[in-house]
Amino acid sequence: MSDMAGEKVAGVEPGRIAEVFESETARYVVKRPKSRARLEARNSGFLDNVPMLWMKDWPQPFPILVEKAQGATLVDIDGNELDDFCLGDTGSMFGHSPEPVAKAIAEQASRGLTYMLPTEDALEVGALLTEKFGPFRWQIATTASDANRFAMRIARAVTGKPRVLFFAACYHGAVDDALVRNVDGRTVERPALVGQVADLSQTSKVIEFNDLAALEAALAEGDVAAVLAEPVMTNCCMVLPDPGYHHELRRLTRKHDVLLIIDETHTISSGLGGYTRTHGLEPDMFVAGKPVAGGLPASIWGMSEAVAQRFRAYDEVRPSGFSGIGTTLSANPLQFAAMRANLSEVMTPENYAHMEKGAERLSNGLQAVIAKKELPWHVVRVGARVEFVCHPTLLRNGSESYIAHKPALERALHLALVNRGCLIAPFHNMMLVSPATSNAQIDRLIAAFDDVTSELLA
């Protein structure tokens, strides 16, 4: 199914999509006069009037100017309340400003924000990370993008190999090496990259997720230091691993002396300990970011004791000087205060149980609407993470997600949901259930989804 004029787009007439988007745009503008006036009256000094370019990618005609957010509710400066299922695209997965985290941040703020020296909180966090995620030797960074970069440096150092293998349409933040795609079996840069001059095929390989033959062939060439993988592909349309895929991924990486790095930045919603602990994976290195400090910028990366020993041997003989690993503001005391509170008081079995129960309620409700309307769509859930996909069947790899995306339809859906008080992730159709999310909020989202799909099919 394509977006071509005259053909239905995932079961919806293109003309109707345009009509709904136009009417919902007008409705959005009417509901936000203060936001519009502020944006039009003030030259903020920011490029395109936003502090980060991604903020232009929401489907609204102009940004939502946020006044405050608490729990699973966001309020804009016009007083519109939104049930927040985006939650900062996982950054606030445990809800906005969890009380223990907010308290810890306030207390630490009076004692200093950054020292480039450890604290007692740091020692406690190291123990808590092992308790939650497994016996890795931990390091702290500010973003998961940085954590992935540093993990890749370690992998290349201890194996002596130049390339990292990625899966098509993967998401590992702003890691240059990962911004590649598979075109006729060749690794090429993604066409939308800004200012890319290095040939990424010299440092990267890309294959399709769930393709074991391609994996074996790529690793057998002998130049791959590591596989960097999300255990479930998340930032395209969610792609689940085939039964037994992770077992074979681990077997083949060990066979070819390739380190396995699991990036749990999104799949940390899978359950306590992330997908790795929930499903018994055995990576050599583990990365997570976004929600680990309750919404404060922080990330974690760790290596097994075996990899740590290999790195110590490498580190003893390398020339002295800057390693390219670490940034000045990483591992600051504010991060540790927030992480200690989040890991010990927020990231609990009870909260994960609430999140999963709510996500199951949401998934079942959305699927019931899709079935009732006989739409060629489906719903995928992994732990507290839910996504509806405007495609009839489950996807097996990232390249299939390119055809599953329906930009015009999704843009109309997102805007219409905002107008009905529900915020979901802007870059795909992802929704998260937090410990603060209520059944009433979930039921409102299901009802809004029902109403919007009825409008699109009218």
Side-chain angles (χ1 to χ4, degrees):
M1 298 180 186
S2 72
D3 284 69
M4 292 173 61
E7 295 184 22
K8 283 190 174 182
V9 178
V12 184
E13 295 288 350
R16 186 60 189 151
I17 295 171
E19 291 170 359
V20 168
F21 185 74
E22 183 178 355
S23 65
E24 295 295 341
T25 296
R27 182 176 174 182
Y28 178 93
V29 171
V30 168
K31 288 168 69 73
R32 290 171 174 80
K34 188 183 293 184
S35 296
R36 186 181 189 183
R38 291 277 178 88
L39 287 164
E40 290 180 351
R42 178 175 296 175
N43 179 6
S44 67
F46 290 119
L47 176 65
D48 289 346
N49 222 24
V50 289
M52 184 173 69
L53 290 178
W54 289 4
M55 293 177 178
K56 297 191 304 178
D57 294 340
W58 291 78
Q60 297 88 320
F62 50 82
I64 293 170
L65 291 182
V66 179
E67 180 179 314
K68 61 181 179 180
Q70 185 66 50
T73 302
L74 184 148
V75 182
D76 69 20
I77 67 170
D78 287 279
N80 297 295
E81 288 194 6
L82 293 167
D83 294 327
D84 190 0
F85 292 88
C86 174
L87 296 169
D89 198 18
T90 311
S92 292
M93 187 182 79
F94 298 110
H96 295 287
S97 298
E99 186 176 346
V101 176
K103 180 181 177 183
I105 291 171
E107 291 176 354
Q108 180 60 48
S110 66
R111 302 196 298 268
L113 300 179
T114 189
Y115 318 138
M116 212 167 70
L117 289 166
T119 60
E120 284 193 85
D121 279 342
L123 303 181
E124 291 297 321
V125 165
L128 284 166
L129 290 173
T130 296
E131 176 188 312
K132 298 293 183 183
F133 299 111
F136 297 96
R137 296 299 180 182
W138 297 102
Q139 291 282 275
I140 304 299
T142 301
T143 70
S145 298
D146 282 340
N148 280 319
R149 289 187 189 101
F150 302 154
M152 287 162 48
R153 278 188 176 272
I154 297 292
R156 286 171 168 143
V158 303
T159 64
K161 301 175 186 178
R163 288 186 168 86
V164 174
L165 186 142
F166 304 95
F167 297 106
C170 64
Y171 181 71
H172 301 291
V175 174
D176 287 6
D177 307 62
L179 300 175
V180 289
R181 63 186 301 178
N182 183 359
V183 176
D184 299 326
R186 294 180 299 110
T187 298
V188 300
E189 294 88 7
R190 294 189 189 181
L193 288 184
V194 174
Q196 182 64 41
V197 293
D199 180 1
L200 295 180
S201 69
Q202 299 302 303
T203 58
S204 308
K205 288 185 180 181
V206 60
I207 63 170
E208 298 294 347
F209 195 64
N210 283 323
D211 188 339
L212 288 172
L215 176 65
E216 172 111 58
L219 299 187
E221 293 174 355
D223 58 354
V224 174
V227 174
L228 178 53
E230 301 173 276
V232 173
M233 299 195 70
T234 61
N235 215 51
C236 39
C237 301
M238 270 208 289
V239 180
L240 304 176
D242 288 345
Y245 180 73
H246 277 295
H247 178 270
E248 286 299 294
L249 173 60
R250 179 67 282 194
R251 183 185 70 81
L252 290 170
T253 48
R254 284 180 172 144
K255 174 183 174 182
H256 294 283
D257 186 29
V258 173
L259 300 189
L260 177 59
I261 308 171
I262 292 292
D263 181 355
E264 292 260 18
T265 298
H266 282 163
T267 54
I268 196 171
S269 61
S270 301
L272 189 63
Y275 197 97
T276 294
R277 267 254 161 114
T278 303
H279 295 272
L281 306 189
E282 298 177 354
D284 298 297
M285 305 182 81
F286 180 100
V287 172
K290 291 191 178 180
V292 293
L296 195 76
S299 66
I300 59 174
W301 60 286
M303 64 194 80
S304 69
E305 179 57 34
V307 174
Q309 289 180 8
R310 292 174 73 176
F311 178 67
R312 290 186 192 107
Y314 170 89
D315 198 37
E316 285 178 0
V317 298
R318 75 176 178 90
S320 63
F322 182 49
S323 64
I325 295 175
T327 57
T328 304
L329 294 178
S330 293
N332 67 65
L334 199 63
Q335 289 175 322
F336 285 121
M339 277 193 284
R340 182 177 183 177
N342 193 59
L343 291 164
S344 60
E345 299 182 64
V346 180
M347 195 182 289
T348 63
E350 295 78 15
N351 277 343
Y352 267 103
H354 174 92
M355 293 159 68
E356 292 212 33
K357 187 175 180 181
E360 183 178 23
R361 183 187 187 100
L362 175 58
S363 176
N364 290 341
L366 296 177
Q367 191 61 62
V369 172
I370 289 168
K372 179 177 68 175
K373 306 289 176 63
E374 298 183 340
L375 285 163
W377 304 0
H378 69 274
V379 177
V380 187
R381 179 174 82 87
V382 176
R385 189 181 184 96
V386 179
E387 187 167 357
F388 64 86
V389 183
C390 302
H391 188 77
T393 58
L394 289 172
L395 308 177
R396 290 199 64 248
N397 59 56
S399 290
E400 287 185 7
S401 74
Y402 295 132
I403 61 169
H405 269 303
K406 304 293 185 286
L409 174 59
E410 292 168 7
R411 184 177 64 163
L413 277 160
H414 286 226
L415 180 56
L417 287 173
V418 165
N419 285 336
R420 287 155 180 79
C422 302
L423 187 71
I424 70 173
F427 312 122
H428 37 97
N429 306 319
M430 187 277 294
M431 297 146 283
L432 281 165
V433 173
S434 78
T437 305
S438 68
N439 284 343
Q441 289 178 302
I442 292 167
D443 292 344
R444 283 197 293 267
L445 175 54
I446 295 167
F449 184 75
D450 193 354
D451 187 48
V452 172
T453 50
S454 292
E455 283 292 309
L456 286 163
L457 295 171

